[in-house]
Amino acid sequence: MLAESVNINSGTMNLEGVRKTGELFRAEFEALGFETEWQDGAGFQRAGHLVARYAGADAGPKILLIGHLDTVFEPDSPFQRFAMLDDTLATGPGIADMKGGNVIMLQALAALRAVDALDQLDLTVVLTGDEELSGHPLNLSKKALVDAAAHADIAIGFENGDGDYRTANISRRGASDWTLRTTGKPSHSSQVFREDIGPGAIFEAARILHSFQADETLRGEQYLTFNPGRIVGGTTVTDNAADNSGTAFGKSNVVAESAFVNGDLRAVSREQLLRARQRMQQIVADNHPHTSATIEFEDGYPPMAPTDGNRKLLALYSRVSEDLGFGAVQAVNPLRAGAADVSFAADHVEMAIDGLGMSGSEGHTVEEKGNLESLPLQAKRAAVLLYRLAKP
């Protein structure tokens, strides 16, 4: 199952491949007695999502299980096939991120069915088709997740976390974008800095970026990061946000009239995100003479804060691991974990955890590897965790 799913190219924009991967997993959920639905993604320019439901007759807490079908490897990537590297290590596109996690989820559910414990659970599974490159608008792209979370008490994600089976995620930093635009007074370069000319748009953008980096409020916030990823400046500039490109025309002897910078902002809580945005706006507003600047923020993945409920769920999971002889499980440092779909669910449930998928390394590269020994280990831990959640 793992090899078969990895060998289907499901790069996010390969809509047919994502749907084909969804059909492969759909058949497995239906064989376990789940009712399934494919939610079409035309409204957000993606393939869509697989949703599977199982409401047992003696169901306990409502639990949401989260995975994704897509990978970062499109059909033009040279990385396309599953291959064994040795007895315990395999490679392939999306093996750890996160087709291995989807298989682990199925294995855990099959174990529960084998001991007639599935009927004690109320389960919703959402396997998204756009985790690696979210569709827009986000309120449509993530609606399946948010709707399922609103129905649930607990959310469990089967991403690969930081690649170490001894850890799990109880917090994830959100990821949002910002765009800075500056303007200056065009003039001959020999007059730059003159009282009635000023430094121009590029110097103003540089002032703001340097101030972001040097600001004690921003740099002093634990887990907060901000990064300018693209900058364009000159006499005239164009910005093609659709493909993250831009053009500039300018001469070395002309004071720049326009500049823009695109970047991202990552925070561990909504409160931290709002504080950072407010401070960035204050810095942007303190303009050099004869320049102006604006900054716009675009919401992306929300933060998943480390709540008491999440800590409680990690403690339960760690106890399961210890009882199985696999040792304790520690929380992943949020700096070592990117954004993930569980973040859209976390604010709607009492407890959330992520990182229960396949251990691996070098994700998002053509060297991606999966630790095959982690598949049965993680499946056992997930099965017993679900069993104990059904029987508190």
Side-chain angles (χ1 to χ4, degrees):
M1 181 68 183
L2 178 63
E4 185 177 1
S5 64
V6 168
N7 284 338
I8 300 172
N9 180 280
S10 59
T12 308
M13 300 311 297
N14 179 9
L15 306 191
E16 182 180 353
V18 173
R19 284 190 285 264
K20 185 176 179 181
T21 306
E23 287 301 314
L24 177 69
F25 284 106
R26 183 177 193 166
E28 296 295 321
F29 282 106
E30 290 179 348
L32 292 172
F34 281 72
E35 295 181 357
T36 65
E37 173 191 4
W38 182 261
Q39 296 193 359
D40 185 69
F44 47 93
Q45 297 83 52
R46 297 295 184 269
H49 312 309
L50 175 64
V51 179
R53 300 183 180 89
Y54 191 102
D58 303 313
K62 299 177 176 65
I63 301 175
L64 168 62
L65 307 180
I66 301 170
H68 66 84
L69 303 165
D70 61 318
T71 76
V72 300
F73 303 99
E74 299 293 341
D76 60 354
S77 169
F79 192 42
Q80 295 290 341
R81 304 294 293 178
F82 176 94
M84 295 293 298
L85 298 176
D86 57 37
D87 291 342
T88 62
L89 203 63
T91 184
I95 185 169
D97 186 14
M98 65 161 288
K99 293 179 177 180
N102 297 335
V103 174
I104 285 168
M105 184 193 303
L106 282 169
Q107 289 290 91
L109 296 173
L112 291 164
R113 182 177 176 85
V115 296
D116 297 323
L118 209 51
D119 278 347
Q120 295 160 14
L121 289 161
D122 184 326
L123 297 167
T124 301
V125 177
V126 178
L127 301 187
T128 63
D130 68 340
E131 197 272 348
E132 300 293 4
L133 184 62
S134 294
H136 289 279
L138 275 179
N139 65 320
L140 291 182
S141 165
K142 306 305 176 184
K143 187 176 186 301
L145 267 176
V146 173
D147 288 351
H151 171 77
D153 304 306
I154 300 167
I156 300 175
F158 286 79
E159 274 276 12
N160 59 329
D162 68 349
D164 187 342
Y165 73 90
R166 297 167 296 184
T167 65
N169 300 81
I170 59 169
S171 64
R172 281 186 177 274
R173 296 187 302 156
S176 60
D177 289 343
W178 51 268
T179 300
L180 170 69
R181 298 186 185 277
T182 64
T183 60
K185 190 172 183 178
S187 177
H188 194 284
S189 64
S190 64
Q191 307 304 304
V192 68
F193 307 131
R194 209 172 72 183
E195 288 185 3
D196 59 337
I197 300 297
I202 291 178
F203 266 125
E204 175 64 357
R207 173 197 70 81
I208 293 169
L209 295 179
H210 175 71
S211 297
F212 286 172
Q213 181 190 19
D215 186 74
E216 292 183 2
T217 302
L218 292 173
R219 290 294 299 276
E221 284 262 10
Q222 187 180 26
Y223 304 133
L224 180 73
T225 59
F226 42 91
N227 176 65
R230 181 167 63 106
I231 184 170
V232 178
T235 300
T236 59
V237 300
T238 65
D239 178 13
N240 187 353
D243 64 2
N244 296 306
S245 66
T247 64
F249 170 80
K251 298 176 69 177
S252 62
N253 63 352
V254 178
V255 175
E257 183 175 0
S258 302
F260 70 86
V261 186
N262 293 132
D264 82 346
L265 177 61
R266 296 174 184 261
V268 77
S269 69
R270 182 68 180 172
E271 292 76 18
Q272 185 181 58
L273 177 66
L274 294 177
R275 283 197 305 272
R277 287 180 174 181
Q278 183 180 30
R279 182 56 185 148
M280 292 170 79
Q281 286 172 326
Q282 291 171 346
I283 291 171
V284 167
D286 188 21
N287 305 123
H288 274 135
H290 302 289
T291 68
S292 63
T294 62
I295 188 167
E296 296 178 351
F297 298 98
E298 181 180 353
D299 287 334
Y301 275 72
M304 174 183 172
T307 65
D308 289 341
N310 297 0
R311 294 185 184 95
K312 180 180 177 181
L313 188 55
L314 174 64
L316 292 171
Y317 184 58
S318 183
R319 178 62 184 270
V320 166
S321 181
E322 290 181 275
D323 289 347
L324 287 168
F326 300 141
V329 181
Q330 305 294 326
V332 175
N333 185 325
L335 291 173
R336 293 181 59 83
D341 278 340
V342 70
S343 297
F344 288 97
D347 284 345
H348 302 277
V349 296
E350 298 172 11
M351 298 187 289
I353 194 171
D354 198 10
L356 275 64
M358 174 173 279
S359 300
S361 63
E362 295 161 287
H364 288 208
T365 78
V366 295
E367 303 295 329
E368 182 176 356
K369 299 177 181 64
N371 176 4
L372 300 182
E373 290 182 322
S374 72
L375 195 155
L377 182 153
Q378 296 287 68
K380 291 172 186 177
R381 294 202 296 197
V384 176
L385 175 65
L386 290 169
Y387 185 81
R388 290 185 180 178
L389 288 171
K391 294 185 173 186

